[in-house]
Amino acid sequence: MRRAAFTSSILSRTLSTVHDGGTVNLHPRLLRVALFSSSRTDNSNSRLHWFSPLLNSFSKSSGQAVSLGLVGVVASVATAASVYAKEPPPAEIIPKDVVLYQYEACPFCNKVKAFLDYYDIPYKVVEVNPISKKEIKWSDYKKVPILMVDGQQLVDSSAIIDQLSEKILPGKSIISVADEDEETKWRRWVDNHLVHVLSPNIYRNTSEALESFDYITSNGNFSFTEKITVKYAGAAAMYFVSKNLKKKYNITDERAALYEATETWVDALNGRNFLGGSKPNLADLAVFGVLRPIRYLRSGRDMVEHTRIGEWYSRMEKVVGESSRIKA
């Protein structure tokens, strides 16, 4: 539905240009969870429904003008669709059984989910209780994310994405060395810099810390008693932990650091829709993934209001689209 509205808007502007001028211009334990700090099926009748008013409005135009207009429309729609479309791999190479063990608010877990969602890989989610961790007692690896892919355990978010890319993106090797170097550079920047400015912002003061833990406990695997304990004790603890993180990473003003990081990312785009050009690459997905848990918290709202990242983030929301998570 969103894609139809978006495309209809392009059609209207393009056809209007053609009609007027005749030419085409063409979105632990407890501390660890906090520290990690459209419909795709088209119907031919529905397509005809939103096309017909536009075509009828030009019924008096010359055949040549309409023909030129439709050529421009097709070009514009094709361009828009290529930018705002997922990239599902061929069905035969999609893993059959994918299970993600995660904390809902963990940026590294959300990095993996952004990859799975963009490539339309169905997956199940097991929410790990950060206090008992009973859901991952079977594993020697005691951190999240853990991704089980057809019985194989993958760990560490960047390594998970690398290994999945090898499985489902066999054509990725044709990327130029320069493009791959840029992608790798910014993926490392996400892990080594961007994630470290998140916790001091999320837990900047007691009210923001409580807001964050309200989100965590609402989405996490907690009993009623654990929710109360985690929300208030966790928020208080992370408020003080965030102060230590500020010192560790030499952050004097947490909001300024967040704004600087997001502006650095926008500068790296250099006018492109995505770092990958017309489509997101793995660095785009990494940045989007780690920012997604905070986007609608106070820190994320401030980030969008005070920096230029909003347009890129909105494009990413559109292109990543709805989650491919399998509901229980």
Side-chain angles (χ1 to χ4, degrees):
M1 217 33 191
R2 286 183 300 179
R3 189 175 299 172
F6 172 75
T7 311
S8 180
S9 173
I10 292 177
L11 287 169
S12 299
R13 291 197 300 270
T14 306
L15 285 176
S16 177
T17 303
V18 173
H19 182 65
D20 292 339
T23 59
V24 179
N25 296 316
L26 296 173
H27 151 0
R29 304 234 174 243
L30 173 61
L31 301 185
R32 187 168 296 166
V33 62
L35 277 168
F36 290 150
S37 63
S38 42
S39 170
R40 301 184 48 199
T41 304
D42 290 329
N43 179 283
S44 59
N45 291 330
S46 64
R47 289 201 301 268
L48 180 60
H49 177 73
W50 60 263
F51 250 114
S52 57
L54 292 168
L55 294 178
N56 290 339
S57 68
F58 292 93
S59 60
K60 295 182 180 180
S61 300
S62 69
Q64 181 180 9
V66 170
S67 298
L68 289 172
L70 288 176
V71 169
V73 168
V74 171
S76 297
V77 171
T79 301
S82 68
V83 172
Y84 297 101
K86 290 190 178 189
E87 289 193 88
E92 62 270 17
I93 62 175
I94 293 179
K96 302 297 185 288
D97 184 25
V98 180
V99 182
L100 175 65
Y101 293 82
Q102 65 151 27
Y103 299 145
E104 180 67 27
C106 165
F108 297 111
C109 299
N110 277 276
K111 206 168 77 174
V112 173
K113 286 195 289 188
F115 180 92
L116 295 172
D117 291 340
Y118 179 65
Y119 287 105
D120 234 5
I121 301 172
Y123 61 97
K124 300 173 185 174
V125 166
V126 175
E127 190 68 21
V128 176
N129 187 311
I131 297 174
S132 66
K133 295 188 180 178
K134 62 182 184 293
E135 294 81 5
I136 55 173
K137 285 189 181 296
W138 53 269
S139 175
D140 292 334
Y141 188 80
K142 300 304 180 184
K143 300 178 182 179
V144 294
I146 296 174
L147 192 72
M148 295 298 297
V149 180
D150 293 335
Q152 178 185 4
Q153 177 179 278
L154 306 181
V155 299
D156 183 275
S157 62
S158 291
I160 289 171
I161 290 170
D162 286 339
Q163 292 173 76
L164 279 178
S165 296
E166 291 177 4
K167 290 176 181 289
I168 69 166
L169 303 175
K172 195 174 187 302
S173 59
I174 64 173
I175 295 176
S176 71
V177 173
D179 287 343
E180 190 168 345
D181 285 348
E182 181 184 45
E183 179 182 72
T184 301
K185 168 189 170 182
W186 287 102
R187 288 181 67 195
R188 287 175 180 160
W189 174 81
V190 171
D191 292 341
N192 298 331
H193 179 71
L194 181 58
V195 293
H196 298 314
V197 305
L198 297 183
S199 288
N201 277 278
I202 297 169
Y203 311 108
R204 182 175 64 151
N205 52 45
T206 53
S207 65
E208 290 186 59
L210 284 169
E211 177 194 34
S212 176
F213 269 87
D214 187 51
Y215 170 79
I216 291 170
T217 56
S218 296
N219 291 279
N221 183 27
F222 301 99
S223 67
F224 176 77
T225 302
E226 286 173 335
K227 282 186 177 182
I228 300 301
T229 304
V230 167
K231 178 176 178 179
Y232 290 98
M238 283 310 302
Y239 170 76
F240 291 105
V241 168
S242 70
K243 303 307 175 190
N244 292 330
L245 290 173
K246 284 181 63 176
K247 292 179 181 178
K248 180 177 180 179
Y249 295 109
N250 298 314
I251 298 171
T252 54
D253 183 327
E254 54 278 284
R255 278 297 196 268
L258 177 62
Y259 299 162
E260 181 181 1
T262 52
E263 289 290 348
T264 297
W265 172 249
V266 175
D267 287 340
L269 296 175
N270 195 26
R272 293 170 290 183
N273 282 337
F274 308 102
L275 192 75
S278 62
K279 296 178 181 179
N281 63 16
L282 297 182
D284 287 289
L285 293 171
V287 176
F288 176 72
V290 302
L291 292 180
R292 189 152 61 167
I294 76 162
R295 169 62 184 91
Y296 296 101
L297 298 177
R298 172 68 183 276
S299 53
R301 295 193 301 269
D302 286 351
M303 173 187 72
V304 170
E305 180 180 351
H306 295 287
T307 73
R308 298 170 292 155
I309 202 167
E311 290 186 6
W312 171 85
Y313 192 92
S314 295
R315 285 194 293 270
M316 287 299 298
E317 281 190 315
K318 289 185 176 73
V319 75
V320 172
E322 296 179 1
S323 174
S324 54
R325 172 178 175 174
I326 300 172
K327 303 298 183 182

